[in-house]
Amino acid sequence: MTPTLHPRLLNGRAGDPAVFVEAMHAPGAVLFDCGDLSALSTGHLLRVELLGVSHAHMDHWADFDRLLRPLIGREKTLQLVGPEGFAARLHHRLAGYTWNLVDRIPADLVFEVTEAGAAPPFPRARFRLHTGFAREDLPPVTPEADGTLLRLGRLGLRAAPLDHGTPSLGFALAEDVHLNLWRTRLAERGLPTGPWLATLKRAVAEGLPDDHPVPVFARALEAAGAPVQPLGALRELVVATPGQRVAYLTDFADTPANRAVAVELARGADTLFVEAPFLAADAAIAAERMHLTTTAAGEIARAAGVRRVEPFHLSPRYLGREAEWLAEIEAAFGRPLNPQAA
Ligand SMILES: [Zn+2]
Ligand SMILES: [Zn+2]
């Protein structure tokens, strides 16, 4: 299957963490963390529609202004998701500038912030350029049954706090199921192609019962009075392929509670971006700094059954030892980190 989600680590394995995710089917991009966005062009920055910030340590949040600057003068709503108290941090950040002449700028820029805390409902707030980014509280939000907190087109975002001495959000981005038609089966059964197939796909996607009637017709003008077949007899025409999944997990201590949350977010991910700042021999330092070791990162990836692992947040103390570092993660994962490269 052709990958439709294209996530990339912006600053290499040792740079400030940031992952930019593009989807083939939509112009909007998703960004996780913004400690250093110098790798993104203005064109890329303008496409960001959803920004997830794990926590407000500088290496994850310092370069927000690089995203903010080109957005001034654009009509745009940007969704932000951060940990508890994040709306106030964004507010302080925006209050660091003077906005007295913004009423001369015709386009309004809107930030909508969701704070993913320990338990829903999650507080939301809005800040708009035209009010000088005064805080407006929005109704709190409760995630969908599967944990989806926000949707961007065909992408759903989940977020959950991990303990890093402060809450640090882990993120999972999942594409909706793809529904494809089995054209040969359609031909074998002598059924026409046409707009009715969209209705059929929608009925499958919505999980309607087998006795749900589906009208079969070739042209829109034949819809009224078209012969009807029960959904159960037509299901074999639609093939459901799971969408792609990307998880981003950074800055958390190796505790059983954190592992459980991390594995749940990363389960079945096509690509897991996971921090692994310290070598296994430095587990005591990792514990003291509330970060993972290579072993912990690899074990989390294995427990979650992910396909590909992209480790990052390598501590600068290991300069020149990247091969050794990768080997430790791979040993704990039990397979090549990148099956395509192997
Ligand atoms: Zn960090
Ligand atoms: Zn941190």
Side-chain angles (χ1 to χ4, degrees), residues 117 167 217 285:
F217 54 92
I285 307 172

Side-chain angles (χ1 to χ4, degrees), residues 57-341:
H57 281 158
M58 281 194 83
D59 53 330
H60 299 260
W61 171 231
D63 215 9
F64 174 74
D65 291 9
R66 193 188 296 267
L67 174 64
L68 172 62
R69 180 67 190 91
L71 292 177
I72 306 298
R74 310 251 169 189
E75 190 76 35
K76 167 126 182 170
T77 298
L78 180 74
Q79 298 289 335
L80 289 95
V81 179
E84 245 168 43
F86 186 70
R89 293 192 188 282
L90 175 66
H91 195 193
H92 291 311
R93 188 72 179 258
L94 295 166
Y97 297 97
T98 302
W99 303 105
N100 68 311
L101 297 175
V102 289
D103 53 348
R104 274 71 158 179
I105 300 173
D108 203 5
L109 168 65
V110 182
F111 294 118
E112 289 183 356
V113 188
T114 306
E115 293 182 359
F122 299 137
R124 301 194 75 221
R126 178 164 55 203
F127 302 90
R128 5 166 134 247
L129 176 73
H130 281 170
T131 64
F133 295 116
R135 178 176 179 136
E136 303 164 46
D137 285 315
L138 296 174
V141 66
T142 297
E144 296 170 27
D146 68 354
T148 301
L149 178 60
L150 262 177
R151 288 194 177 275
L152 177 65
R154 289 175 49 195
L155 302 176
L157 180 82
R158 289 184 296 142
L162 295 155
D163 180 19
H164 178 48
T166 182
S168 175
L169 292 185
F171 295 104
L173 195 63
E175 207 183 7
D176 288 344
V177 158
H178 296 281
L179 293 176
N180 296 305
L181 287 163
W182 203 303
R183 300 266 167 194
T184 48
R185 285 186 184 167
L186 198 63
E188 278 163 18
R189 289 178 54 173
L191 293 167
T193 56
W196 77 279
L197 293 168
T199 318
L200 170 62
K201 277 191 182 179
R202 204 160 44 241
V204 172
E206 287 170 7
L208 298 180
D210 278 352
D211 60 0
H212 177 79
V214 180
V216 179
F217 54 92
R219 285 188 296 275
L221 50 87
E222 297 165 3
V228 161
Q229 292 207 26
L231 178 60
L234 299 168
R235 274 190 205 283
E236 62 149 8
L237 300 171
V238 181
V239 184
T241 321
Q244 282 189 284
R245 291 162 178 265
V246 170
Y248 175 81
L249 306 175
T250 194
D251 291 59
F252 56 106
D254 183 13
T255 63
N258 273 347
R259 282 200 184 211
V261 172
V263 167
E264 189 51 38
L265 281 170
R267 195 178 304 287
D270 296 277
T271 306
L272 167 63
F273 293 89
V274 62
E275 77 146 21
F278 295 98
L279 288 173
D282 291 326
I285 307 172
E288 193 228 338
R289 309 266 171 96
M290 306 196 82
H291 277 290
L292 298 186
T293 60
T294 49
T295 310
E299 287 176 357
I300 287 166
R302 183 174 58 191
V306 307
R307 201 177 64 79
R308 179 164 77 107
V309 186
E310 290 287 353
F312 64 92
H313 223 341
L314 169 62
S315 165
R317 70 178 57 210
Y318 306 120
L319 193 69
R321 296 172 71 186
E322 190 172 318
E324 181 188 347
W325 173 75
L326 286 170
E328 284 193 3
I329 301 164
E330 194 157 284
F333 183 48
R335 285 187 284 122
L337 299 181
N338 186 348
Q340 270 151 4

